[in-house]
Amino acid sequence: MELYMSLAIGVLFTVGVYLILSKSLLRIILGTSFLTHGVHLLLLTMSRLKTGAAPLLGEKADAYVDPLPQALILTSIVISFGVTSFFFVLAYKAYQKLGTDDMEQLKGEDAHE
Amino acid sequence: MNFLHVAIMIPFLFAVMVPIFRKVLPRIHTGWLVLPAPAVLFAYLISLIPAEEAVSASLPWMPSLGVNFDVYADGLGLLFALLITAIGTLVILYSTFYLDRDKEKLGHFYVYLMLFMGAMLGLVLSDNLMVLYGFWELTSISSFLLIAFWQEREKSRYGAMKSMVITVFGGLAMFAGFLMLYAMTDTFSIRELIELAPTIMNEEMFLPAMLLVLLGAFTKSAQFPFHIWLPDAMEAPTPVSAYLHSATMVKAGIYLVARMSPVFSIGELWMWLVTGFGLFTLIYASFRAMKQIDLKAMLAFSTISQLGLIMSLLGLGSAASFYAGTDQAAFYSKATMAAIFHLVNHAIFKGALFMAAGIVDHETGTRDIRKLGGLMSVMPITFTVTMIGTFSMAGLPPFNGFLSKEMFFTSVLNIRDSDLLGEAVWGALIPLVAWVASVFTFVYSMLFVFRTFAGKRQPEKLKKQPHEAPLGMLLPPVALASLAIVFGLFPNLLSYTLIEPAMAAVHPSLLTPGQQFMVSIHLWHGFTPELFMTMGVAAVGILLFRLHGKTAALNAPLFERVSLNRSYDSGLKGLDRLSGALTKLYMTGSLRQYLIYIFVFLIAALGATLYGEGALLIDTTGYAEMSFYEAVIIFALILSTIAVPFATSRLMAIILTGVAGYMVSLFFVIFRAPDLALTQMIVETVSVALFLLCFYHLPKLKKEVVKLPLKLWNLLIAVGVGAVMTVVALSASGSPSFESISHYFLENSYTLAGGKNVVNVILVDFRGFDTMLEIVVLGIASLGIYALIRIKLKGDDEEAKLPA
């Protein structure tokens, strides 16, 4: 399973990077959310998959999966949500003010000359 | 703490007080108020001369680093310190008459000058290399400020900048050399270094240290090819030129060479480099000096050539260290004696000449020798001073320059006997170069005095009606000129007091305890080859002087096309342009480009490390089984992910992203993470909702019109990152790891924290700080969003209407 998960992570990263390298701001934001998914799954995969029950002590299982990465991922989900929504509004505002979402047009025209 | 420390600090103290003087006593020329500083210091330093033992004292500064403010006044340091204070006194006296009280920014001038004087005193009296370096750079800085004193002039700024660049370059090289010396000997003390010198001779860093220290000395003392800053530094006020660029700062390099000579002269290369560069500078600069038309430029090249002369003499003198203990040592060390004697002489006559040139400039309004002439009868005193100075410079009796020139000839003749010279050719070449350079020196000296003061007067070319300068302005050059005669007639005044101790400092290894050098210089020393050489110099010199002006070869500027100045300028400009072009090349402003740098670096660094460390261990044992459901979810995730770049409508892209997010939350279900699944589900829903909310305000998702190669590049980089991350994931989950710390959380979640949901207990109890700050992040994000939406900047109104 870890092998396939790693491949899936690779695909998530590939698509994320590909989207980030594009010109449209919307695609870039979508790209960041793919990168986020990739990182979360990577965190989960690296702690070994399916080694026991969910970390709820009420289950009375012999073994539980590692709860620490889950706590880390939970924190990360919330943070990336905050950042993504901020980006989103920023893109919206930038479009409102500048009238474009093309990164090539958004770059400054040689301000230092 | 010693009075020597106080002595070094006195000029700095005066520098601080100058603004107060300006405020409290604005009617009095500030020069009068700072004049006591060098005068008192000079008197104090004179009192140190008879002492048998050199004065030394230590003051801890950074003892843990071996950097202490150690002062040491041996013969060499004292000689320089006396020059600095004596000429400093005269220069300040001169400047009180030279600079106008109301028109010039006197406060600035004297602050800089006092800073410089203190730095120079500190330089020559320090025993600690780091302290020496500190003072060294302070001289560079204060000299920079002084050269650009009239900073509204373009040329002043150019000259100051140039001298700064070159001398600081050399200073940094010297600093590196000092650090190497420290690495070898573990001490910054010069005295200890000299004792340890034989032990480091064969070390690897000995040679680089020597070259770097020499680089520092050569740049400061304007040796070829680093001399180019000195003629441009002539834009400084004349008192500055007289003080810094003839008597003191340019001799800092000489001081360094003399001071470090006992350390480095055990290597033969030292002698060759110092002598070689010195002789070449001597002949080159004396030739160039003949071609100058500006009085100060002439003096600048003359200074360069005389510095070359002193440098070469120091090099020749260092040959003595190969013959320590024999009679030959005394024979070769005569060159050192000549160097020290000429050092004093040069400071005297060059100071006088600069001051005279300043007077001519001040009283006629020009320094161009083509416009000057016939001033002899108008300015008799200045003429006399100039004549004494130039005759001394040319090496004519009975002035002091004659004696040092004779000793110079003796030294170059002596060196022929040395078996250090592999071939006889070199032995013959050195005296020849010296002789030809002396002829050139003779010619420009005569040009200097006779073009200015003899011949026809050209009043129509002058801005002012020339007349003799005020007495106060004449006093310092007259004093210096008198010294030139006094030391010419009674040279032994100097020999016991100054030259012998200074020689002892340069050649410590040649003396047994209690012994001292016996120096006696006589004006008349019999019919020697040197005397005939001098006669030859005078004869050929007079001939050349007559021909000068008629022969283009002597007159026309040399190397019109290739000049060092031009290559310096174009070098700087080229560097400027190059760095500009380089920056433009990669700082394009395009976000995509920067991201590409980052990703490519990531791929390269991670890939190389993984490959190099052999980290790719795919060990499938312990991997979980894959069930049918999981295969379906993975398939769905990959499919929806890959579809996003191909989506043509933005709605499609958003929905596909949402699908991928939900698949991730399904994974969380399968991998036994209920809290994650819940959160992911909610966050994904809200995100998609947010996407859709802004959806209407965002532009239509245009089909990316990107050229195919660009697309392929993006794809290549993306696949590269993906592949690297896959490999990282595989090797991270496949490599043997130590046990997780999570059993602690599992065991104690209920007993310590009273919760059965371990993830939640970790979030709010074991690792509550993370959660608190994550709440802060959310808070900031929401405040930021609120601010972004509500904020109305100037000009917002008209632009807000743009997207309908």
Side-chain angles (χ1 to χ4, degrees):
Chain A
M1 189 68 220
E2 276 88 342
L3 184 65
Y4 302 105
M5 284 306 286
S6 300
L7 286 174
I9 290 163
V11 171
L12 283 171
F13 268 101
T14 306
V15 171
V17 169
Y18 185 78
L19 288 175
I20 279 187
L21 290 176
S22 57
K23 289 201 290 189
S24 143
L25 205 51
L26 183 69
R27 278 167 177 265
I28 290 175
I29 297 174
L30 290 181
T32 57
S33 69
F34 278 105
L35 284 186
T36 315
H37 291 325
V39 169
H40 294 161
L41 288 183
L42 181 62
L43 268 174
L44 197 69
T45 309
M46 288 207 299
S47 69
R48 282 297 156 93
L49 301 168
K50 296 206 282 189
T51 48
L56 302 167
L57 295 182
E59 299 264 302
K60 305 244 173 0
D62 294 336
Y64 297 97
V65 294
D66 197 338
L68 192 55
Q70 296 193 8
L72 297 181
I73 295 169
L74 196 57
T75 310
S76 165
I77 289 175
V78 176
I79 290 175
S80 58
F81 170 66
V83 174
T84 310
S85 44
F86 182 78
F87 273 172
F88 215 18
V89 175
L90 193 65
Y92 159 72
K93 196 75 184 173
Y95 177 64
Q96 240 192 2
K97 272 202 79 85
L98 304 169
T100 178
D101 78 329
D102 188 330
M103 289 313 289
E104 289 302 310
Q105 289 173 17
L106 283 174
K107 86 173 185 188
E109 283 302 320
D110 284 308
H112 44 265
E113 262 189 51
Chain B
M1 194 77 174
N2 183 282
F3 191 72
L4 219 46
H5 287 116
V6 182
I8 294 172
M9 284 302 143
I10 282 177
F12 294 110
L13 190 74
F14 269 76
V16 173
M17 276 158 52
V18 163
I20 305 172
F21 290 155
R22 290 289 289 165
K23 201 101 194 150
V24 178
L25 301 164
R27 305 291 305 154
I28 302 175
H29 197 291
T30 319
W32 294 113
L33 298 170
V34 295
L35 189 60
V40 167
L41 286 176
F42 180 68
Y44 163 68
L45 289 165
I46 284 273
S47 76
L48 293 180
I49 286 181
E52 285 283 308
E53 279 289 301
V55 184
S56 71
S58 181
L59 187 68
W61 183 14
M62 293 182 262
S64 58
L65 297 176
V67 178
N68 291 313
F69 190 9
D70 295 341
V71 289
Y72 180 58
D74 65 346
L76 190 65
L78 206 57
L79 174 85
F80 274 90
L82 282 169
L83 276 181
I84 292 160
T85 47
I87 299 194
T89 314
L90 294 174
V91 160
I92 289 175
L93 183 63
Y94 178 78
S95 69
T96 51
F97 291 92
Y98 188 85
L99 294 172
D100 193 278
R101 192 190 67 202
D102 304 315
K103 287 183 198 149
E104 308 281 7
K105 286 171 286 184
L106 286 185
H108 293 211
F109 183 79
Y110 288 106
V111 169
Y112 302 156
L113 201 69
M114 283 291 126
L115 273 183
F116 173 78
M117 189 183 287
M120 204 63 212
L121 270 181
L123 200 164
V124 298
L125 293 175
S126 303
D127 183 46
N128 192 289
L129 284 179
M130 285 299 110
V131 178
L132 189 151
Y133 172 71
F135 283 123
W136 182 282
E137 293 298 34
L138 198 55
T139 63
S140 294
I141 293 166
S142 49
S143 140
F144 168 79
L145 292 168
L146 282 167
I147 295 170
F149 177 63
W150 290 310
Q151 78 263 41
E152 64 280 359
R153 296 184 192 169
E154 159 102 51
K155 280 176 113 182
S156 297
R157 297 196 303 269
Y158 171 77
M161 171 85 176
K162 194 176 190 179
S163 74
M164 185 77 162
V165 168
I166 294 177
T167 52
V168 169
F169 160 72
L172 283 175
M174 186 186 82
F175 181 62
F178 286 172
L179 290 182
M180 287 181 179
L181 281 176
Y182 182 72
M184 286 185 284
T185 59
D186 223 24
T187 176
F188 279 130
S189 161
I190 297 171
R191 275 174 293 170
E192 286 172 33
L193 264 180
I194 291 171
E195 278 164 34
L196 290 170
T199 62
I200 59 168
M201 199 186 149
N202 293 319
E203 295 235 12
E204 231 173 45
M205 273 191 284
F206 182 78
L207 185 67
M210 178 174 115
L211 292 177
L212 288 170
V213 169
L214 267 186
L215 194 59
F218 284 170
T219 48
K220 198 78 162 181
S221 281
Q223 298 296 294
F224 185 89
F226 309 110
H227 65 276
I228 51 173
W229 66 268
L230 190 59
D232 284 308
M234 290 301 126
E235 292 304 320
T238 303
V240 173
S241 309
Y243 190 38
L244 273 68
H245 306 126
S246 71
T248 51
M249 191 178 86
V250 288
K251 298 218 168 88
I254 302 275
Y255 169 78
L256 189 74
V257 168
R259 185 53 97 194
M260 300 308 277
S261 176
V263 179
F264 289 120
S265 65
I266 34 180
E268 222 176 276
L269 191 64
W270 173 267
M271 178 216 152
W272 282 113
L273 283 175
V274 176
T275 313
F277 273 90
L279 278 176
F280 189 77
T281 309
L282 164 66
I283 190 159
Y284 172 79
S286 58
F287 184 62
R288 288 288 302 273
M290 285 194 303
K291 297 168 178 294
Q292 304 302 317
I293 45 167
D294 179 277
L295 287 181
K296 277 177 88 175
M298 210 177 221
L299 288 178
F301 275 106
S302 143
T303 301
I304 296 169
S305 90
Q306 302 280 315
L307 290 170
L309 189 153
I310 300 172
M311 201 63 100
S312 68
L313 279 172
L314 282 176
L316 294 173
S318 72
S321 62
F322 301 113
Y323 305 97
T326 61
D327 288 344
Q328 275 170 309
F331 186 60
Y332 292 113
S333 68
K334 283 221 173 78
T336 310
M337 177 176 86
I340 294 163
F341 188 53
H342 192 66
L343 179 85
V344 179
N345 290 341
H346 176 249
I348 289 170
F349 66 67
K350 196 50 69 69
L353 285 177
F354 265 112
M355 290 177 188
I359 290 171
V360 170
D361 187 13
H362 208 263
E363 305 307 333
T364 63
T366 184
R367 300 193 309 248
D368 191 332
I369 54 169
R370 291 171 304 187
K371 294 181 186 165
L372 294 167
L375 296 175
M376 202 187 292
S377 53
V378 196
M379 305 167 80
I381 304 177
T382 316
F383 166 65
T384 315
V385 167
T386 313
M387 199 180 68
I388 294 171
T390 47
F391 281 21
S392 176
M393 184 156 75
L396 295 176
F399 308 108
N400 56 3
F402 168 69
L403 293 168
S404 38
K405 184 131 304 176
E406 295 292 282
M407 285 152 68
F408 173 52
F409 286 152
T410 314
S411 309
V412 292
L413 291 174
N414 281 352
I415 200 71
R416 286 182 309 169
D417 301 334
S418 165
D419 46 13
L420 288 172
L421 302 164
E423 293 166 58
V425 181
W426 294 108
L429 198 60
I430 293 177
L432 184 71
V433 168
W435 186 81
V436 174
S438 297
V439 172
F440 292 153
T441 307
F442 185 91
V443 175
Y444 72 70
S445 300
M446 294 307 118
L447 282 172
F448 186 89
V449 59
F450 290 118
R451 280 289 170 89
T452 311
F453 292 97
K456 246 178 42 201
R457 278 176 61 189
Q458 311 178 64
E460 71 283 354
K461 289 188 183 168
L462 298 180
K463 286 179 203 146
K464 299 180 185 171
Q465 186 63 37
H467 56 82
E468 189 59 281
L471 187 66
M473 210 160 165
L474 285 170
L475 196 63
V478 167
L480 285 172
S482 330
L483 276 182
I485 301 179
V486 169
F487 289 149
L489 295 177
F490 309 104
N492 286 323
L493 277 180
L494 285 175
S495 54
Y496 310 118
T497 48
L498 285 175
I499 297 178
E500 282 172 13
M503 278 183 77
V506 182
H507 292 300
S509 61
L510 301 187
L511 296 176
T512 52
Q515 198 188 350
Q516 61 190 122
F517 285 102
M518 297 309 280
V519 174
S520 101
I521 306 164
H522 300 289
L523 185 57
W524 177 248
H525 43 267
F527 287 103
T528 52
E530 296 89 325
L531 190 65
F532 294 115
M533 278 171 86
T534 302
M535 287 175 183
V537 167
V540 179
I542 289 170
L543 186 72
L544 272 183
F545 173 59
R546 289 259 164 237
L547 288 174
H548 192 278
K550 288 166 195 151
T551 11
L554 290 174
N555 233 335
L558 176 73
F559 309 134
E560 192 59 39
R561 279 153 180 271
V562 214
S563 85
L564 283 166
N565 274 316
R566 201 162 300 175
S567 44
Y568 166 84
D569 287 339
S570 54
L572 271 195
K573 247 183 240 147
L575 279 178
D576 204 25
R577 225 176 289 142
L578 185 72
S579 67
L582 264 179
T583 312
K584 244 190 184 164
L585 205 66
Y586 68 91
M587 298 297 284
T588 53
S590 151
L591 187 68
R592 182 179 164 268
Q593 296 254 329
Y594 302 157
L595 285 169
I596 285 177
Y597 305 147
I598 294 169
F599 286 132
V600 167
F601 181 76
L602 178 109
I603 296 170
L606 272 180
T609 314
L610 284 171
Y611 181 75
E613 300 287 316
L616 186 55
L617 305 164
I618 301 180
D619 177 16
T620 47
T621 54
Y623 277 11
E625 290 290 313
M626 185 161 71
S627 69
F628 174 69
Y629 296 114
E630 291 153 10
V632 169
I633 298 172
I634 280 204
F635 187 67
L637 174 69
I638 292 179
L639 208 64
S640 61
T641 307
I642 289 178
V644 172
F646 295 102
T648 44
S649 84
R650 51 193 165 161
L651 193 60
M652 196 65 188
I654 292 167
I655 287 173
L656 282 170
T657 313
V659 169
Y662 287 125
M663 290 304 134
V664 170
S665 72
L666 276 183
F667 270 127
F668 289 149
V669 172
I670 284 178
F671 297 135
R672 309 265 206 279
D675 303 286
L676 291 187
L678 283 172
T679 319
Q680 176 68 32
M681 190 93 92
I682 295 164
V683 161
E684 202 55 44
T685 312
V686 176
S687 296
V688 170
L690 203 66
F691 265 89
L692 293 175
L693 239 168
C694 296
F695 172 78
Y696 290 105
H697 299 287
L698 280 175
K700 292 248 173 352
L701 186 65
K702 277 172 280 180
K703 201 164 170 19
E704 287 256 301
V705 233
V706 182
K707 287 191 191 106
L708 192 65
L710 215 60
K711 231 176 195 169
L712 285 177
W713 265 113
N714 288 356
L715 190 66
L716 192 70
I717 290 164
V719 169
V721 173
V724 162
M725 290 316 290
T726 306
V727 175
V728 167
L730 280 175
S731 28
S733 56
S735 59
S737 57
F738 40 84
E739 213 188 329
S740 163
I741 57 162
S742 294
H743 60 87
Y744 173 82
F745 298 124
L746 291 167
E747 278 161 19
N748 295 309
S749 166
Y750 189 68
T751 49
L752 288 182
K756 290 185 176 173
N757 185 335
V758 184
V759 173
N760 285 5
V761 169
I762 290 177
L763 282 174
V764 298
D765 204 317
F766 287 121
R767 297 173 57 91
F769 265 118
D770 285 358
T771 311
M772 185 183 84
L773 293 174
E774 148 201 349
I775 292 167
V776 172
V777 169
L778 266 193
I780 291 173
S782 50
L783 278 178
I785 289 169
Y786 179 77
L788 262 183
I789 291 174
R790 292 300 299 270
I791 201 162
K792 282 263 190 277
L793 294 174
K794 239 187 241 171
D796 237 16
D797 297 333
E798 55 262 35
E799 279 174 65
K801 290 171 198 146
L802 253 174

